[in-house]
Amino acid sequence: MSASGQCLCGAVRFTAAKLGGFGICHCGQCNRWLGGPMLGVTVEQADMSVAEGAPIVTRRTSGWASRSRCAECGSPLWYRFDKGVDGAGNYEVPLGILDDANGLALTREIFIDRKPDSYSFAGAHERLTEDETLALYAPSSEGA
């Protein structure tokens, strides 16, 4: 399944040749960045195409990833793995900036022990705690 998307003002447009899994992150950084959990879909680096000259601002936010936003309207664009098991450069794109997010199935929630008790997402899918998530994605101290 391919997809396209854009920021609120349309200054940043992108296409994804193929979408990966749809997941939810409850970490503190995603909550502050988006005002709630990140509902995102994985796009491998090779499958992402961004319009040349797009006004993108990127900030490193952890030892293995960065977050980008539109420099014009401030819309969050993606969380990007710089290191780790998902490979350098994979993107996690918020569902809300896709032109059409239909047809995706929730496969995983991460940092589930950080989720507030005021909501929950139904369905059978993997739920990882903070420790389980860090063991999977964080770089080892030897390789960092």
Side-chain angles (χ1 to χ4, degrees), residues 69-129:
R69 65 176 172 83
C70 172
E72 299 295 322
C73 67
S75 292
L77 298 171
W78 45 74
Y79 171 101
R80 187 167 182 195
F81 287 100
D82 298 322
K83 299 179 184 176
V85 297
D86 282 314
N90 286 352
Y91 297 82
E92 294 296 326
V93 178
L95 294 184
I97 68 169
L98 295 176
D99 293 332
D100 182 3
N102 288 311
L104 300 172
L106 177 59
T107 58
R108 176 187 287 174
E109 285 183 78
I110 59 174
F111 291 92
I112 193 69
D113 50 339
R114 298 295 182 192
K115 182 190 77 59
D117 64 4
S118 56
Y119 60 82
S120 64
F121 293 90
H125 56 273
E126 188 176 27
R127 291 173 171 86
L128 301 177
T129 65

Side-chain angles (χ1 to χ4, degrees), residues 2-144:
S2 64
S4 61
Q6 68 177 19
C7 64
L8 181 63
C9 72
V12 178
R13 291 210 42 84
F14 66 90
T15 57
K18 183 173 107 177
L19 297 179
F22 157 42
I24 299 172
C25 180
H26 299 285
C27 80
Q29 287 188 10
C30 281
N31 276 287
R32 292 214 185 269
W33 182 47
L34 295 166
M38 168 130 175
L39 282 68
V41 64
T42 302
V43 178
E44 291 187 20
Q45 181 176 357
D47 292 331
M48 180 67 111
S49 175
V50 181
E52 190 172 327
I56 299 169
V57 175
T58 299
R59 179 177 181 172
R60 187 131 177 112
T61 54
S62 73
W64 64 86
S66 56
R67 287 175 170 82
S68 297
R69 65 176 172 83
C70 172
E72 299 295 322
C73 67
S75 292
L77 298 171
W78 45 74
Y79 171 101
R80 187 167 182 195
F81 287 100
D82 298 322
K83 299 179 184 176
V85 297
D86 282 314
N90 286 352
Y91 297 82
E92 294 296 326
V93 178
L95 294 184
I97 68 169
L98 295 176
D99 293 332
D100 182 3
N102 288 311
L104 300 172
L106 177 59
T107 58
R108 176 187 287 174
E109 285 183 78
I110 59 174
F111 291 92
I112 193 69
D113 50 339
R114 298 295 182 192
K115 182 190 77 59
D117 64 4
S118 56
Y119 60 82
S120 64
F121 293 90
H125 56 273
E126 188 176 27
R127 291 173 171 86
L128 301 177
T129 65
E130 178 176 13
D131 288 344
E132 292 168 328
T133 302
L134 293 177
L136 186 61
Y137 293 110
S140 69
S141 58
E142 294 174 12

